[in-house]
Amino acid sequence: MPERPSVLLGDVLRPRTVHRGVVTALALMLESAAIESANPVTVLADFHSDEFFTSEAAARFTAMAAVHPFVAVLGTTAAATIPGLRSAVPERSSDGPAEWSLVIIGTEQATALIVRELHRMPGHFEYALTHHRDLVAAAGRSLIARLLPDPEVTQYDVPRPESS
C-alpha cells in the first residue's frame, strides 16, 4: 500500500528520507532542549503506539511534565501513569499515514518534528523539521484536537509559508 501524505508532511513541508537513527537523535535533542528550557513551553507528542514510548521516553516526558505547564503524549497507554502528563490514545484510521510528531512551542521557540516510517524502505523514515511558528501552531492544534476532540472541529487549516 503506498504511503499517503499528511497535511504537513509532504503537502506543506518537503520531507527528507533518513535512517531511523537520525530521527531518533533529532527527537532526543529537541526533548532535551525542552527539559532544559528556562522558559515555559507546551510539549505535545504523538508516539502512535506503545512500542515507541520506551522507559527512557517516559523518563524524559516525566522530566518535562515536572517543569512545564502543559505536556501531553498521544498514542500510548503507558503515559497515563505519569503524574502531570496529559495523555490519550485516539482512534486511528487504518488508511491514514502512521506519523510520529513532536511539537514544542513557547514564547521564544517553536519546533515541530513530523516523522513517518517508510514501509517500502525498512528502517528509513521521512521527516520534516520546522521552526515556522504558524506551522508549528497548526501541528500543535492538530495534536490537541486528538487529545481533547471537539465534535464541531474536524480539521484545522494549515498555513502555507510565504516565499522569501
Side-chain angles (χ1 to χ4, degrees), residues 2-136:
E3 282 93 6
R4 294 176 2 163
S6 71
V7 174
L8 286 177
L9 190 61
D11 189 25
V12 175
L13 298 174
R14 175 161 295 155
R16 295 187 173 146
T17 301
V18 295
H19 192 270
R20 180 184 187 133
V22 173
V23 294
T24 300
L26 275 171
L28 289 172
M29 179 189 69
L30 296 172
E31 291 167 2
S32 294
I35 292 167
E36 296 172 10
S37 176
N39 296 311
V41 293
T42 294
V43 181
L44 304 158
D46 187 344
F47 280 83
H48 201 75
S49 77
D50 285 330
E51 105 183 65
F52 298 104
F53 194 70
T54 62
S55 58
E56 293 85 6
R60 290 190 305 275
F61 278 84
T62 298
M64 284 184 260
V67 296
H68 296 300
F70 192 91
V71 180
V73 171
L74 295 132
T76 175
T77 57
T81 63
I82 298 174
L85 188 64
R86 292 158 173 90
S87 66
V89 181
E91 288 186 31
R92 305 280 185 190
S93 169
S94 61
D95 63 344
E99 288 184 354
W100 296 264
S101 307
L102 175 63
V103 171
I104 302 167
I105 191 163
T107 57
E108 296 183 9
Q109 74 182 81
T111 305
L113 174 64
I114 314 294
V115 180
R116 176 176 56 198
E117 187 170 6
L118 293 174
H119 297 290
R120 68 181 186 271
M121 295 174 64
H124 287 78
F125 293 77
E126 283 185 325
Y127 84 96
L129 177 69
T130 185
H131 299 285
H132 188 282
R133 184 166 286 280
D134 291 339
L135 292 177
V136 173

